[in-house]
């Protein structure tokens, strides 16, 4: 997919080295997986212009788990799609792994997990996970080894020969996560992957996702409407305003990586959840 350069977006990969050195205030800073500066995006429709994002500044470090939360239509998914090069900003600059989003996409540096599992019903779970490896030209042995490894990582060993319709919704979504991991991208982009699941299954998958994040060391960008989910999963929460999407607050979450669901009853968890809730409420009157 080559959409051509945006006439107003200025993206300079040569700035990345300096940004890496200064992102955390000086020496020993982590490299940036995402570096967005002044990003705005306006859609042109038959009914006129619709501004989806306005002056977004965001830095995501390697290994972070960052959740976007905000009201429906605030631009959470749009920002995720800008990172993925599925939308182009009309203003501002953005780098993904030190290069333009287009270059990151062409280098297959990210995996994208949709709200629905998006599995092909005529392919087995094994062959669904293998699909990107087939497209990328991996040999048969490597495809089998990778598929076996990542199905085991998401606890789907033994279901390789099943078809998607034979699995529950949660199991299908785990298969889609294995598919996104199969080619070992540095970055996972997840657009409300558990939003359609019941609370019990969602809690279980949240715990599994945390373990997966800890085991793989991936950087994760996660879209959600759920305050408890955002606080439980994240190392950083980005609170967004109603459209046009602006960043109201960026909230650090310093919980241990091996946390369990019981942490949701602690004062520290509830304090962060209240800060997220306050940000969402203030955003409804946010105007410049």
């Amino acid at each position: 997919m080559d959409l051509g350069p945006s006439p107003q977006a200025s993206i300079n990969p040569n700035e990345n080295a300096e940004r890496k050195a200064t992102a955390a205030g000086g020496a020993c800073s982590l490299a940036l997986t995402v570096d967005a500066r002044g990003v705005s995006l306006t859609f042109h429709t038959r009914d006129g212009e619709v501004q989806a994002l306005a002056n977004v500044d965001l830095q995501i470090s390697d290994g972070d788990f960052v959740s976007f939360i905000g009201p429906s239509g605030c631009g959470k998914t749009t920002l995720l799609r800008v990172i993925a090069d599925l939308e182009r900003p009309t203003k501002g600059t953005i780098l993904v792994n030190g290069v333009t989003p287009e270059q990151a996409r062409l280098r297959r540096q990210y995996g994208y997990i949709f709200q629905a599992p998006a599995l092909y019903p005529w392919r087995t779970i094994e062959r669904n996970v293998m699909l990107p490896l087939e497209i990328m030209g991996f040999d048969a042995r490597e495809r089998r080894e990778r598929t076996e490894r990542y199905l085991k990582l998401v606890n789907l060993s033994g279901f390789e020969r099943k078809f998607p319709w034979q699995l529950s919704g949660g199991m299908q979504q785990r298969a889609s996560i294995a598919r996104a991991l199969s080619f070992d991208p540095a970055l996972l982009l997840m657009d409300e992957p558990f939003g359609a699941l019941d609370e019990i299954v969602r809690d279980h998958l949240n715990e599994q996702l945390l373990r997966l994040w800890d085991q793989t060391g991936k950087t994760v960008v996660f879209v959600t409407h759920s305050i408890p989910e955002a606080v439980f999963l994240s190392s950083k929460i980005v609170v967004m305003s109603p459209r046009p999407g602006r960043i109201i607050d960026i909230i650090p979450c310093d919980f241990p990586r091996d946390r369990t669901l019981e942490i949701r009853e602690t004062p520290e968890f509830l304090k962060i959840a209240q800060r997220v809730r306050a940000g969402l409420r203030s955003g409804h009157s946010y105007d410049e």
Side-chain angles (χ1 to χ4, degrees):
M1 179 185 70
D2 187 358
L3 302 179
S6 169
Q8 293 174 277
S10 172
I11 305 175
N12 181 6
N14 294 327
E15 296 173 0
N16 190 56
E18 179 181 351
R19 289 177 181 171
K20 286 183 178 181
T22 61
C28 300
S29 63
L30 293 174
L32 294 179
T33 296
V34 176
D35 188 4
R37 312 264 173 157
V39 167
S40 298
L41 190 151
T42 299
F43 293 108
H44 300 276
T45 72
R46 290 183 178 180
D47 298 325
E49 293 185 347
V50 177
Q51 189 173 15
L53 297 172
N55 197 33
V56 171
D57 291 320
L58 179 64
Q59 286 73 49
I60 298 174
S61 298
D62 290 356
D64 268 349
F65 193 121
V66 177
S67 290
F68 297 163
I69 190 167
S72 296
C74 75
K76 303 182 298 295
T77 294
T78 299
L79 182 54
L80 197 74
R81 289 172 62 85
V82 167
I83 295 171
D85 193 43
L86 300 176
E87 304 287 354
R88 294 289 177 91
T90 48
K91 291 182 180 179
T93 66
I94 183 165
L95 297 172
V96 179
N97 292 322
V99 298
T100 68
E102 179 184 23
Q103 290 170 317
R105 173 176 56 80
L106 294 174
R107 295 176 185 179
R108 300 182 174 112
Q109 291 182 341
Y110 70 82
Y112 200 109
I113 299 161
F114 297 91
Q115 294 179 23
L119 302 173
Y120 288 111
W122 59 87
R123 295 177 73 106
T124 63
I125 295 302
E126 180 181 56
R127 294 189 63 232
N128 267 286
V129 173
M130 283 184 180
L131 182 59
L133 304 176
E134 293 173 9
I135 293 171
M136 294 176 191
F138 286 85
D139 62 48
R141 179 180 176 181
E142 182 73 7
R143 293 199 302 268
R144 287 192 301 271
E145 290 177 352
R146 284 175 175 253
T147 298
E148 180 181 0
R149 179 163 70 250
Y150 287 109
L151 284 175
K152 182 178 180 180
L153 189 63
V154 299
N155 294 321
L156 283 178
S157 295
F159 293 91
E160 296 87 350
R161 303 300 172 88
K162 300 293 186 182
F163 289 91
W165 53 269
Q166 295 176 299
L167 273 60
S168 69
M171 295 171 78
Q172 289 182 36
Q173 198 59 282
R174 279 188 276 154
S176 74
I177 292 172
R179 180 179 58 192
L181 288 169
S182 66
F183 53 96
D184 197 28
L187 172 64
L188 284 182
L189 304 175
M190 307 184 74
D191 186 9
E192 290 194 83
F194 310 142
L197 304 174
D198 67 65
E199 187 174 2
I200 295 174
V201 174
R202 188 170 185 157
D203 284 350
H204 179 60
L205 291 180
N206 280 339
E207 287 189 303
Q208 288 194 324
L209 180 57
L210 271 184
R211 287 197 293 270
L212 185 150
W213 173 55
D214 187 39
Q215 292 170 18
T216 64
K218 305 292 184 188
T219 305
V220 181
V221 183
F222 188 93
V223 171
T224 182
H225 281 99
S226 168
I227 294 175
E229 183 172 64
V231 178
F232 179 68
L233 289 174
S234 308
S235 61
K236 184 187 297 180
I237 303 169
V238 175
V239 183
M240 297 183 66
S241 72
R243 192 178 67 229
R246 299 175 173 90
I247 293 178
I248 297 171
D249 199 2
I250 299 177
I251 304 169
C253 296
D254 297 323
F255 299 124
R257 282 182 174 243
D258 61 350
R259 55 192 177 268
T260 63
L261 290 171
E262 285 68 30
I263 202 171
R264 298 186 301 186
E265 308 302 323
T266 64
E268 295 80 8
F269 186 98
L270 297 174
K271 183 178 180 180
I272 293 174
Q274 180 56 35
R275 180 173 167 184
V276 175
R277 189 171 290 108
L280 293 172
R281 286 173 179 167
S282 69
H284 281 279
S285 60
Y286 188 93
D287 193 16
E288 286 185 345

